[in-house]
Amino acid sequence: MPAWTKSLVGLLALAGGAVSCAHHGDTEVVPEHEREELLKKWDQEWSFSGIASFAHLKPVKCLIEPSENYDIAVIGAPFDTAVSYRPGARFGPRAIRAASARQMSGTSFNTRAGINPYKSWAKITDCGDIPITPFDNGLAERQMYEAFLELGSRKVVNKAPKGGDSIGTGHPKLVTLGGDHSVALPALRALHQIYQKPITVLHFDAHLDTWNPVRYSAYWQSEQTQFNHGSFFHKASREGLICNSTSAHAGLRTRLTGVDAGDYTNPGPEQGFIRIHADDIDDLGPMGVVETIIQRTGLDPEQPVYLSVDIDVLDPSTAPGTGTPEPGGWTTREFIRILRGLEKLNLVGADIVEVSPAYDNKGETTALAAAQVAFEIITSMVKSGVKEDLGGWYGNLYEDASVGETESADVSRDEL
Ligand SMILES: *[C@@H]1O[C@H](CO)[C@@H](O)[C@H](O)[C@H]1NC(C)=O
């Protein structure tokens, strides 16, 4: 009798059971060989099929599964009630997950890095979304903090082969899909709690986000007006969460308040960031931007780094679907190259925020860029834990293979 006929018989038996209100037998155990057959037959997804998790990773509501462990957690933070202009980033996690559909584990070898992050040492889980209230930002802050703290305090599954010397080794790494940028504040609070020291923040954004909240209104102030997507780093700095001597802004091109560059010095260099402007890439090139950043952040294995990516660091032509767009930014390619140059940073957490799909286009340009940014960041997190030297840009794996020399490229591939 073929397997499906047996299942049908089983179903009929169940239906019979339902009539007599019996419950036993409704969780029939599938024999091992049938399970194998089923997996061979149906355990496949196409890029366009399946329920949308990030990169088709196994979706788990980790917050209600306390025994679920992982090495890297992707977390949605659908929150956007702290924005100053266009809302809609609460739909960011959904859009980024949908745009990650072509990141199948079997087809995600990152040629720029020389590694497939989904087929390496790390267990990566899509932990679902934090159910954040849209009605009370004070409560939302608390929900996010508690969620990040819980998810970041779980046990790792596979200790990174390399990295016994890094402060992050015993803790899972968190990758947040925002959400407006204020989600970075509860994330930093949680990381500060986990690592018990100020965190180095590498911040890619058109804007400073260190603004004193009085910039929005000096008269109408409350505790809650301090929590907004332009002032959360100000608050984080005041709370001592940010390491003042190693942090950097990159991609800046925002207009400032008033008639001079006072926003840069007021409320003070104590904000602790150096500033790399969007235009600097013309003089420095992407790798010069990388060098400037690394000079500032250092590569100290004892110093945790949080990477915060506001998608508006990209030019609106490559990322229109965002809350506060600023023309004159970097292209997706330039930014990816910068990110690849930073793969040795000691990342313990990251976010990709401010994707607002209502302003995106039919090609989902912004969400695609965000999904790619997440891919590059996850690649770096995994690659930093790999023991063998996979090389840098384009992995140097194919160093014999320059363009056009396909023969030697084949040879290097075979040697893998
Ligand atoms: C950074 O500077 C600010 C302002 O002076 C201060 O409040 C904060 O505690 C400093 N952070 C650290 C980690 O020292």
Side-chain angles (χ1 to χ4, degrees):
M1 189 160 36
W4 66 268
T5 327
K6 264 192 262 170
S7 324
L8 194 60
V9 172
L11 272 179
L12 291 173
L14 275 181
V19 172
S20 62
C21 298
H23 272 282
H24 52 82
D26 57 358
T27 52
E28 205 184 340
V29 180
V30 184
E32 198 56 40
H33 66 280
E34 277 183 38
R35 161 74 49 197
E36 260 173 47
E37 176 73 16
L38 284 175
L39 290 179
K40 269 192 231 156
K41 198 170 167 188
W42 298 120
D43 188 28
Q44 187 208 347
E45 270 186 31
W46 291 94
S47 51
F48 48 82
S49 71
I51 293 165
S53 62
F54 186 82
H56 300 259
L57 295 168
K58 184 182 166 202
V60 183
K61 284 187 168 182
C62 299
L63 288 168
I64 55 170
E65 301 291 346
S67 54
E68 183 72 26
N69 294 323
Y70 36 77
D71 301 305
I72 298 172
V74 178
I75 309 143
F79 172 79
D80 66 2
T81 44
V83 300
S84 57
Y85 193 50
R86 296 168 170 177
R90 72 180 62 177
F91 296 104
R94 280 193 167 191
I96 299 170
R97 285 190 176 103
S100 75
R102 290 182 61 254
Q103 296 180 35
M104 314 276 294
S105 70
T107 56
S108 287
F109 180 78
N110 187 335
T111 49
R112 295 176 170 112
I115 189 172
N116 181 338
Y118 304 128
K119 282 192 169 294
S120 186
W121 62 270
K123 181 179 175 201
I124 312 174
T125 301
D126 186 333
C127 280
D129 288 345
I130 308 168
I132 310 164
T133 179
F135 303 134
D136 178 338
N137 281 359
L139 184 58
E141 270 185 82
R142 209 182 94 208
Q143 289 176 310
M144 286 189 268
Y145 169 70
E146 287 189 18
F148 288 131
L149 186 60
E150 167 60 27
L151 297 174
S153 303
R154 297 272 168 94
K155 284 195 182 71
V156 292
V157 177
N158 308 311
K159 219 162 166 248
K162 190 178 123 189
D165 52 345
S166 150
I167 192 170
T169 313
H171 302 286
K173 299 172 194 293
L174 306 179
V175 179
T176 306
L177 310 176
D180 78 48
H181 213 151
S182 61
V183 307
L185 178 61
L188 282 172
R189 284 177 180 148
L191 292 174
H192 185 264
Q193 181 63 30
I194 292 167
Y195 291 97
Q196 292 289 310
K197 65 194 309 191
I199 311 290
T200 295
V201 175
L202 174 54
H203 173 219
F204 288 100
D205 200 319
H207 309 94
L208 290 164
D209 295 0
T210 50
W211 277 298
N212 189 319
V214 300
R215 179 184 192 261
Y216 293 104
S217 166
Y219 183 86
W220 298 102
Q221 284 286 312
S222 74
E223 196 188 328
Q224 219 45 70
T225 61
Q226 318 251 320
F227 179 66
N228 66 69
H229 81 154
S231 303
F232 60 94
F233 280 146
H234 176 90
K235 210 166 185 216
S237 174
R238 290 293 150 103
E239 291 178 18
L241 310 177
I242 297 177
C243 182
N244 285 340
S245 54
T246 54
S247 296
H249 296 295
L252 294 174
R253 58 192 186 279
T254 177
R255 283 171 297 280
L256 302 177
T257 44
V259 293
D260 56 24
D263 284 349
Y264 282 176
T265 50
N266 175 26
E270 76 270 15
Q271 301 278 7
F273 290 85
I274 59 156
R275 291 181 299 272
I276 299 167
H277 290 89
D279 297 358
D280 288 338
I281 204 169
D282 294 331
D283 306 315
L284 301 174
M287 293 327 261
V289 171
V290 165
E291 277 162 35
T292 312
I293 289 170
I294 291 179
Q295 262 171 33
R296 173 67 173 179
T297 59
L299 296 169
D300 179 0
E302 283 305 303
Q303 179 54 31
V305 180
Y306 185 73
L307 174 55
S308 189
V309 179
D310 187 322
I311 205 68
D312 74 23
V313 72
L314 299 178
D315 190 77
S317 61
T318 62
T322 191
T324 47
E326 305 285 357
W330 293 336
T331 65
T332 315
R333 193 196 71 244
E334 287 165 338
F335 185 49
I336 289 171
R337 183 142 199 197
I338 291 169
L339 285 176
R340 287 266 45 85
L342 295 166
E343 63 187 23
K344 291 203 165 68
L345 292 188
N346 186 22
L347 298 183
V348 297
D351 63 48
I352 301 104
V353 297
E354 298 284 348
V355 172
S356 185
Y359 301 95
D360 209 357
N361 52 33
K362 287 204 173 77
E364 302 164 75
T365 307
T366 316
L368 275 170
Q372 183 72 28
V373 167
F375 175 65
E376 300 297 347
I377 291 172
I378 291 170
T379 296
S380 295
M381 287 175 165
V382 176
K383 191 176 174 183
S384 68
V386 171
K387 221 174 191 129
E388 67 268 41
D389 184 10
L390 297 173
W393 186 247
Y394 276 90
N396 297 340
L397 277 175
Y398 320 111
E399 51 192 15
D400 297 335
S402 48
V403 178
E405 289 178 276
T406 41
E407 229 180 64
S408 49
D410 287 347
V411 170
S412 321
R413 259 205 173 282
D414 290 346
E415 281 166 0
L416 296 177

